[in-house]
């Protein structure tokens, strides 16, 4: 990628937000931080991110509602969205992929797994664009 990829972080827990920011910025990405789905939509309206990392359980608008709205819009449909959630029940991964998330990370997060998922969905480890 020619520019620093921009990653939108959507998470209502401040400690997690800061942790995700550290992990993402250490990869050379720019970040914007939002507290919930409503704030995320406003941020996306202002500028489309290259990738979104979102919590599922949040006040005002949760991650499931957010992904539904993003997938319903032509403009935002192709943005890769990774779910970061404490859900640990069997079948959740399939359900999350079914509604349109490209990947799923469980909390507490494994920073290496988070970086790998971001790298994979941004395609930033493949050398030059060709
Ligand atoms: Mn939450």
């Amino acid at each position: 990628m020619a520019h620093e990829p921009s990653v939108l972080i959507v998470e209502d827990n401040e400690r997690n937000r800061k942790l995700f920011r550290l992990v993402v910025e250490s990869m050379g990405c720019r970040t914007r931080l939002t507290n919930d789905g409503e704030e995320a939509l406003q941020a996306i309206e202002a500028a489309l991110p290259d990738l979104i990392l979102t919590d599922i359980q949040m006040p005002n608008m949760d991650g499931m509602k957010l992904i539904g709205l993003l997938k319903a819009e032509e403009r935002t449909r192709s943005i890769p969205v990774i779910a970061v959630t404490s859900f640990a029940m069997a079948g959740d991964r399939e359900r999350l992929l079914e509604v349109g998330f490209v990947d799923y990370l469980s909390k507490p997060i494994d920073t290496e797994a988070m970086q790998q998922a971001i790298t994979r969905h941004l395609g930033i480890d493949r050398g030059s664009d060709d």
Side-chain angles (χ1 to χ4, degrees):
M1 281 194 184
H3 63 292
E4 284 188 329
S6 71
V7 175
L8 180 66
I9 293 168
V10 192
E11 163 68 64
D12 63 313
N13 180 282
E14 189 184 3
R15 287 181 61 189
N16 282 336
R17 234 174 14 248
K18 286 180 173 170
L19 173 62
F20 299 171
R21 169 184 231 167
L22 276 176
V23 172
V24 174
E25 290 188 351
S26 77
M27 302 173 68
C29 298
R30 289 177 293 123
T31 58
R32 283 184 293 162
L33 308 182
T34 56
N35 289 293
D36 58 45
E38 285 181 3
E39 282 191 11
L41 287 178
Q42 290 170 16
I44 292 162
E45 184 69 29
L48 291 178
D50 294 310
L51 183 141
I52 299 168
L53 270 185
T54 186
D55 183 21
I56 297 297
Q57 293 175 293
M58 298 178 288
N60 304 319
M61 185 190 294
D62 69 15
M64 297 304 276
K65 171 89 183 199
L66 175 62
I67 189 80
L69 293 173
L70 295 175
K71 291 301 157 189
E73 283 288 333
E74 190 70 46
R75 195 166 160 262
T76 53
R77 188 171 294 157
S78 61
I79 302 170
V81 187
I82 298 174
V84 188
T85 175
S86 48
F87 288 178
M89 291 155 54
D92 272 350
R93 184 182 180 89
E94 286 68 29
R95 190 171 58 90
L96 292 167
L97 297 179
E98 209 171 272
V99 297
F101 290 102
V102 292
D103 221 325
Y104 161 75
L105 299 166
S106 53
K107 292 180 200 169
I109 63 149
D110 172 335
T111 58
E112 203 169 306
M114 178 174 273
Q115 290 178 332
Q116 282 170 358
I118 292 168
T119 297
R120 187 158 59 242
H121 297 292
L122 281 176
I124 54 176
D125 66 335
R126 301 197 181 120
S128 60
D129 292 339
D130 50 28

